[in-house]
Amino acid sequence: MISKETIEKVFDQARVEEVIGDFVQLKRSGSNMKGLSPFVNEKSPSFMVSPVKQIWKDFSSGKGGNAVTFLMEHEHFTYPEAIKYLANKYGIEVEETVVTNEDIEQANEKESMYLVSEFARDYFHKTMLNTDEGQAIGLSYFKERGFTKDTIEKFQLGYSPDSWDAFTKEALGKAYKLEYLEKTGLTIVKQEDGKTFDRFKGRVMFPIHSMSGRVLGFGGRILTNDKKAAKYLNSPESEIYHKSKVLYGIFQAKQSIAKLDNCYLVEGYTDVIQFNQSGIENVVASSGTALTPDQIRLVSRLTNNMTVLFDGDAAGLRASIRGIDLILEAGMNVKVCSFPDGEDPDSFAKNNSYDDLKKYLDENSKDFIQFKADLLVKEANNDPIKKAELIRDMVISISKISDTIKREVYIKECSRIMDISEEVLYNTLAQLLKKDISDANKKFVEEKKAFEVVKNNEQLKPEKIDTQYIFEQKIIEILLVNGLKTETFTDIFQVEDENGELVEVKENNTYKIYEKIYLALQEDEIELSNPIFRNIYQDIINYYNQNLEFEIDKYISQTTPEITDKITSILMLEERDTLHKWHLRKIVVDDKDLTLEQNVSETILSYRFLLIDKMIAENMKNLSPDVTVDNSEILSTSKDLTTLRNVIAKNLGRVLVRF
């Protein structure tokens, strides 16, 4: 178990904007920062981070919290793992505990698969460095590729012994379950007789990491000339490894990608490693598969710019062109760069200095239109039909771009390069867009119905607002933001004078904000109606009674996910209103001119007014239309409540006009 002191150090030093910035490209937006949601696919940013409050809120998925909860949500860390990750990031020493048999037994399935994968990474790495076979075969191979010791360590490269079950025996001996060895694909179990085999027998190993550095799977390269065996072998799909959602090198590249605002995309493991060793770290690989939307979304969290790199292989070029359209469709900017005949990113980086490599990339990275033209014109070979197909292919790519200004610029460029009129290109583009709209029309119409203006030009009926919910939410917001602040309030109450008449008395009293709210609600024996708000209210009042300071990120770390989501939603109300333009829908927002004392008083009085109004309405429902029934008690109660409501209304008026 991690000590309380260590956890406190982590919370003291961890900055939510720095932690999330490793996974999401954030841009300044007033006092906050915003970016694209890392949980859902979106083109308009609705993910907000508050450096001041040290919290985040994703308005698309509803998730929210602090730095620790982000890691738990995004990387599926347990709480201790998130703390350890942050401790490592900020150089805080944590006493590591050995994974015991009991720990392994208690870990859930997904976590067990992570543990097995991390054990395998360490086993393969140590086997390569510390055994004769590993050094003679695995280490020698990597050295022949020109990889240095630092590079081997950085990518945690390794070697799996050329033995049928060396790894499996070692893992079972360390109490890792065969069930999870099989589920991760590290061990193959024959169904007929239950015999076990190492999947990666006799291969050099490339661990595949998540963006946070967790081991998801492996790629293994065979070093013999066995034609029956695949040259590269990847881990099979599993609960933790989905090939189409992973990019090799993203963990090592993420900071450089965000800093340089560009990502180079290559095909293989060694391309990534060789580029890194040459000094260019903002590079990832699709690991030999066709690029997917999920992989593009990983990069789009860090930058809006991607440069696709490839060699002169025709099949590779065709696959890259298909990927270009997907990148454009995701709203990203894309360039392409090919290497000289006989060269690929790996060999070119190995044979050139950093300066030469950087210069080549800068000078030869072309706009996708120019690249497509150069590539496909060669294929057309002055054939009019093929040229027409080429032009249509280019316009198809342009149609994937959602930005109309960019589309027009590319149409003009295509017209110039291909020597064809803009009008023809615009007509072709219009046909393509019309087809796209037609294909999506049914879904669009269904989604639009909820917002469609009726044809007789009648105004949309304003949506029904739960006023009580809004006031209870406001009470929680005040407690969270200003609960420990001290203010002087003017309390107004009535007493009998010497003649028995009621007179108003004003008295100035100083309270902490949470005390004032607590006393006001206790006075009327009011309990918040919303169960989540009620839990937060009771919890935070208890917290304030026991603590002299309040730090929102530490407080959130102790709450349930449901309460965390609600708290971050409340604290990000202003950002949510801006994103959703609720002010245009006539939903009441806070009066920024009110002082804190006025704001608290106005909220409490308005809430009490609302509840009394409801009590009057409920009471009047009990009136009987039968003249023989005595309604005097009901009428008397309503009269008393109405008198109280009028007093509150009078006091509320005083609060709002006092400046």
Side-chain angles (χ1 to χ4, degrees):
M1 180 180 289
I2 302 172
S3 69
K4 184 178 179 182
E5 291 74 17
T6 300
I7 294 174
E8 287 177 352
K9 284 182 182 178
V10 167
F11 277 106
D12 284 340
Q13 295 186 38
R15 301 293 303 170
V16 68
E17 67 273 22
E18 294 173 351
V19 175
I20 295 176
D22 286 345
F23 302 88
V24 181
Q25 185 184 30
L26 299 173
K27 294 184 178 179
R28 180 65 61 179
S29 177
S31 61
N32 298 315
M33 304 180 84
K34 66 180 180 180
L36 294 173
S37 168
F39 302 106
V40 300
N41 195 10
E42 65 179 11
K43 293 185 179 179
S44 298
S46 66
F47 184 86
M48 306 297 296
V49 176
S50 172
V52 176
K53 299 170 185 172
Q54 282 298 293
I55 58 173
W56 60 275
K57 182 67 183 177
D58 179 23
F59 293 103
S60 292
S61 66
K63 302 176 188 292
N66 55 18
V68 170
T69 56
F70 177 83
L71 293 170
M72 293 173 72
E73 289 282 2
H74 189 267
E75 295 301 309
H76 306 292
F77 283 171
T78 60
Y79 183 83
E81 286 173 335
I83 293 295
K84 288 179 182 179
Y85 174 89
L86 292 173
N88 181 61
K89 177 178 176 65
Y90 288 94
I92 299 169
E93 187 175 351
V94 177
E95 184 179 347
E96 293 288 344
T97 56
V98 177
V99 179
T100 65
N101 293 354
E102 185 179 357
D103 293 331
I104 298 170
E105 186 71 34
Q106 292 177 349
N108 61 36
E109 180 172 311
K110 203 169 185 180
E111 185 56 33
S112 294
M113 293 172 74
Y114 280 127
L115 290 173
V116 163
S117 298
E118 284 159 9
F119 167 77
R121 172 202 60 200
D122 295 340
Y123 170 81
F124 296 140
H125 187 64
K126 290 175 182 176
T127 295
M128 183 181 71
L129 296 179
N130 302 327
T131 68
D132 292 341
E133 181 186 349
Q135 292 174 1
I137 301 175
L139 190 59
S140 293
Y141 168 77
F142 288 128
K143 286 185 175 179
E144 286 173 11
R145 299 302 299 248
F147 298 158
T148 65
K149 181 181 178 182
D150 289 342
T151 298
I152 290 171
E153 289 292 336
K154 180 177 182 178
F155 287 90
Q156 300 173 327
L157 305 177
Y159 174 73
S160 179
D162 192 10
S163 170
W164 285 112
D165 59 357
F167 164 74
T168 301
K169 279 184 177 178
E170 183 72 14
L172 293 175
K174 296 291 186 182
Y176 290 94
K177 288 186 176 181
L178 181 60
E179 174 189 357
Y180 301 120
L181 295 173
E182 184 179 16
K183 284 184 175 180
T184 54
L186 288 160
T187 299
I188 298 172
V189 181
K190 287 187 70 175
Q191 298 302 318
E192 307 85 61
D193 53 15
K195 285 187 177 179
T196 60
F197 305 93
D198 293 350
R199 177 179 295 272
F200 296 104
K201 167 184 174 293
R203 292 175 181 266
V204 287
M205 302 298 293
F206 300 84
I208 301 168
H209 300 88
S210 70
M211 197 178 278
S212 67
R214 300 213 81 175
V215 181
L216 305 175
F218 295 87
R221 187 191 192 284
I222 198 166
L223 301 179
T224 64
N225 293 321
D226 185 354
K227 294 182 179 180
K228 294 181 181 179
K231 182 179 178 181
Y232 276 99
L233 186 65
N234 273 38
S235 294
E237 293 281 310
S238 71
E239 183 70 18
I240 63 173
Y241 178 63
H242 304 282
K243 193 173 184 179
S244 65
K245 297 182 179 181
V246 175
L247 286 168
Y248 182 74
I250 190 73
F251 170 61
Q252 290 84 359
K254 61 186 179 184
Q255 291 183 339
S256 182
I257 291 171
K259 181 180 179 181
L260 299 174
D261 198 19
N262 184 43
C263 176
Y264 291 111
L265 176 70
V266 295
E267 186 178 352
Y269 306 129
T270 57
D271 297 329
V272 170
I273 299 171
Q274 202 68 257
F275 258 60
N276 267 263
Q277 187 160 288
S278 297
I280 295 178
E281 298 180 328
N282 55 323
V283 57
V284 297
S286 56
S287 303
T289 63
L291 194 63
T292 68
D294 285 324
Q295 290 172 330
I296 294 169
R297 190 160 67 89
L298 273 179
V299 176
S300 70
R301 297 177 193 171
L302 303 170
T303 180
N304 202 41
N305 303 296
M306 191 178 292
T307 304
V308 182
L309 309 179
F310 49 82
D311 54 30
D313 174 67
L317 292 179
R318 278 294 174 187
S320 297
I321 288 176
R322 288 192 294 272
I324 287 170
D325 286 352
L326 286 175
I327 298 170
L328 292 170
E329 203 165 1
M332 297 180 69
N333 305 314
V334 58
K335 288 186 176 182
V336 285
C337 178
S338 60
F339 290 94
D341 289 343
E343 295 272 24
D344 58 25
D346 179 0
S347 63
F348 194 85
K350 182 179 179 180
N351 298 325
N352 289 274
S353 67
Y354 167 81
D355 291 336
D356 290 340
L357 176 59
K358 187 70 172 63
K359 182 180 179 183
Y360 183 87
L361 293 173
D362 291 342
E363 292 179 353
N364 291 274
S365 294
K366 300 177 182 178
D367 183 89
F368 78 94
I369 287 290
Q370 182 64 59
F371 173 78
K372 267 197 169 185
D374 292 347
L375 173 66
L376 300 178
V377 162
K378 293 177 185 177
E379 295 184 10
N381 197 25
N382 296 322
D383 184 326
I385 295 176
K386 288 186 177 180
K387 183 177 180 181
E389 291 174 353
L390 157 63
I391 294 171
R392 184 173 181 81
D393 189 279
M394 293 168 72
V395 177
I396 287 173
S397 291
I398 295 172
S399 73
K400 304 297 182 183
I401 302 171
S402 58
D403 189 302
T404 53
I405 295 175
K406 286 183 181 178
R407 276 209 305 257
E408 181 163 351
V409 170
Y410 283 125
I411 284 289
K412 290 181 180 296
E413 183 69 5
C414 184
S415 170
R416 182 188 65 79
I417 293 171
M418 302 308 298
D419 192 24
I420 188 171
S421 72
E422 291 180 22
E423 184 179 359
V424 171
L425 296 178
Y426 276 122
N427 288 338
T428 305
L429 178 62
Q431 290 172 6
L432 290 169
L433 294 175
K434 185 177 180 181
K435 183 179 182 301
D436 289 342
I437 292 172
S438 177
D439 291 343
N441 192 49
K442 282 187 179 180
K443 182 180 178 183
F444 176 77
V445 169
E446 288 173 4
E447 292 177 351
K448 190 180 176 184
K449 280 180 181 177
F451 305 98
E452 202 170 38
V453 179
V454 289
K455 291 183 179 179
N456 60 5
N457 292 326
E458 288 182 359
Q459 292 292 323
L460 283 172
K461 292 181 180 179
E463 61 185 87
K464 188 175 180 181
I465 300 171
D466 186 343
T467 312
Q468 186 168 350
Y469 180 94
I470 290 175
F471 279 123
E472 291 186 359
Q473 180 175 259
K474 182 63 181 174
I475 288 170
I476 299 300
E477 180 188 5
I478 291 171
L479 285 171
L480 289 169
V481 177
N482 298 304
L484 286 176
K485 289 184 179 177
T486 301
E487 285 285 331
T488 300
F489 293 85
T490 302
D491 294 325
I492 303 173
F493 50 94
Q494 294 180 323
V495 297
E496 288 186 359
D497 63 9
E498 55 190 20
N499 299 319
E501 295 181 359
L502 291 176
V503 294
E504 282 188 354
V505 175
K506 295 182 181 180
E507 190 176 280
N508 292 329
N509 293 298
T510 300
Y511 304 96
K512 289 188 181 297
I513 298 299
Y514 84 88
E515 293 173 335
K516 177 63 178 176
I517 292 176
Y518 177 76
L519 291 172
L521 298 188
Q522 282 291 103
E523 181 182 338
D524 292 330
E525 298 182 354
I526 294 173
E527 189 176 60
L528 303 189
S529 62
N530 182 283
I532 297 179
F533 290 155
R534 189 163 59 245
N535 288 341
I536 297 173
Y537 172 79
Q538 292 167 349
D539 187 59
I540 201 167
I541 292 295
N542 291 336
Y543 187 93
Y544 282 145
N545 282 325
Q546 298 172 26
N547 296 275
L548 298 176
E549 295 182 352
F550 179 74
E551 293 180 49
I552 188 64
D553 55 336
K554 291 184 181 179
Y555 177 72
I556 288 177
S557 70
Q558 303 168 20
T559 63
T560 65
E562 184 182 32
I563 289 179
T564 296
D565 284 347
K566 185 62 69 176
I567 288 175
T568 51
S569 294
I570 291 171
L571 293 176
M572 289 288 199
L573 279 174
E574 184 177 340
E575 287 70 30
R576 181 203 64 188
D577 294 343
T578 301
L579 284 170
H580 296 288
K581 297 181 172 60
W582 281 8
H583 60 288
L584 300 179
R585 295 158 62 187
K586 298 184 179 178
I587 293 180
V588 179
V589 293
D590 297 337
D591 186 344
K592 301 298 182 185
D593 293 328
L594 292 180
T595 65
L596 177 57
E597 181 265 324
Q598 284 178 295
N599 197 6
V600 173
S601 298
E602 185 260 348
T603 300
I604 293 172
L605 289 170
S606 297
Y607 184 58
R608 292 176 65 193
F609 183 93
L610 173 69
L611 294 181
I612 291 169
D613 217 31
K614 283 190 171 186
M615 290 169 66
I616 292 171
E618 288 297 318
N619 186 60
M620 293 301 288
K621 286 180 182 178
N622 297 323
L623 279 175
S624 174
D626 189 343
V627 293
T628 62
V629 175
D630 183 8
N631 288 317
S632 59
E633 185 175 345
I634 296 171
L635 292 171
S636 176
T637 300
S638 289
K639 183 181 178 182
D640 291 341
L641 288 172
T642 302
T643 300
L644 179 57
R645 182 182 65 180
N646 293 340
V647 170
I648 292 174
K650 185 178 179 182
N651 290 338
L652 184 57
R654 287 171 174 155
V655 168
L656 295 177
V657 299
R658 187 173 71 252
F659 293 100

